[in-house]
Amino acid sequence: MKKNSLTTNIILIGMMGSGKTTVGQLLSSYLNFTFIDTDQLIEKQQEMSVDDIFNQKGESYFRKLESNIIPNLPKTQAVISCGGGLPVYNDNSLKLNDLGITLYLKANEQSVLKRISTQSGRPLFSSKKEDISNLISKREEVYNKAKYIVNTNDKSPDEVMDGILKILF
Ligand code: S3P
C-alpha cells in the first residue's frame, strides 16, 4: 500500500508514558494526517487542564467526557492519541476499533516510570513501580483488543514509528 492511499484513522492506545503523543505527532506529519490527542481535545473543550478536571470534578466525570468525545472524532485521515484510560471504560475499546486501525503501544513499568518521571500533570500517576505494574495488568486485557501491538520498550519515538509503518504498509 502506498502512503497516500491510506485513509483510515490510526488510533494509538496504551499506558501514559508509552509515547502515544510523541509518536502520534511524528506519524501524523509523516502521513499528512490530522493529529488529535484526546486529553488536549478535552482540555480545550472544558477550558481546564486534565489535572484540574480530576481534582475539581472527579475521575468519573472525566471518564464521561472521554466517552462523549468518541462520536465527535474524525472518521478518516487522523492519528488519534487516546488518554491511557479512555479504552478501558464503556466499551470504548470496541468503539475505537470501529473508528480506525488501533495500535497498542506496549510499555512495561520501567519504561512508563522512566518516561513519566520527567512530566507533570498526571493525576493517576503514582511513582510506585508496583502501582504502575498493577494498572498495566488491570488494563492489559482491554489494550490487547487493539488490532496490533507494538512494543515500545527501549525504543525511540522514531523507531516506534518505523515499526508502525512496517505494520501499516
Ligand atoms: C490517564 C492518562 C492520561 C490522562 C489522565 C488519565 C490514565 O493520558 O488521560 O491523566 O488513566 O491512564 P495519557 O495516557 O495521554 O498520559
Side-chain angles (χ1 to χ4, degrees), residues 13-21 37-40 42 50-51 54 59 62-63 66 81-89 116 119 121-125 135 139 143:
I13 65 166
M15 284 291 287
M16 51 188 116
S18 58
K20 290 164 294 177
T21 303
D37 177 290
T38 60
D39 286 339
Q40 287 168 11
I42 290 172
V50 169
D51 218 5
F54 263 76
E59 180 178 353
F62 177 74
R63 299 304 176 198
E66 283 189 311
S81 158
C82 298
L86 185 143
V88 181
Y89 301 89
I116 59 181
Q119 301 164 1
R122 302 217 187 242
L124 278 194
F125 168 56
L135 199 57
R139 291 180 170 180
Y143 289 157

Side-chain angles (χ1 to χ4, degrees), residues 42-59:
I42 290 172
E43 289 184 331
K44 216 167 140 189
Q45 216 181 53
Q46 301 295 309
E47 297 179 343
M48 259 172 118
S49 69
V50 169
D51 218 5
D52 286 344
I53 300 173
F54 263 76
N55 291 330
Q56 295 174 28
K57 310 225 169 173
E59 180 178 353

Side-chain angles (χ1 to χ4, degrees), residues 41-165:
L41 203 63
I42 290 172
E43 289 184 331
K44 216 167 140 189
Q45 216 181 53
Q46 301 295 309
E47 297 179 343
M48 259 172 118
S49 69
V50 169
D51 218 5
D52 286 344
I53 300 173
F54 263 76
N55 291 330
Q56 295 174 28
K57 310 225 169 173
E59 180 178 353
S60 58
Y61 184 83
F62 177 74
R63 299 304 176 198
K64 272 190 207 122
L65 295 175
E66 283 189 311
S67 299
N68 289 347
I69 57 167
I70 297 179
N72 303 324
L73 291 169
K75 307 287 178 272
T76 59
Q77 295 202 311
V79 176
I80 303 170
S81 158
C82 298
L86 185 143
V88 181
Y89 301 89
N90 298 324
D91 284 334
N92 288 345
S93 60
L94 305 177
K95 293 176 195 154
L96 295 176
N97 281 341
D98 285 342
L99 193 67
I101 301 172
T102 46
L103 295 118
Y104 166 27
L105 300 197
K106 187 169 177 164
N108 63 21
E109 64 269 24
Q110 282 95 329
S111 313
V112 169
L113 252 177
K114 207 159 107 189
R115 294 202 193 106
I116 59 181
S117 56
T118 53
Q119 301 164 1
S120 61
R122 302 217 187 242
L124 278 194
F125 168 56
S126 146
S127 55
K128 279 204 263 153
K129 199 169 157 185
E130 63 184 89
D131 288 346
I132 295 175
S133 261
N134 285 341
L135 199 57
I136 294 175
S137 347
K138 264 205 252 162
R139 291 180 170 180
E140 190 107 83
E141 193 189 332
V142 172
Y143 289 157
N144 282 334
K145 292 194 171 129
K147 183 148 191 208
Y148 299 105
I149 298 175
V150 181
N151 179 23
T152 69
N153 298 324
D154 306 313
K155 294 208 171 97
S156 69
D158 280 316
E159 287 169 333
V160 175
M161 179 170 91
D162 286 347
I164 294 177
L165 293 175

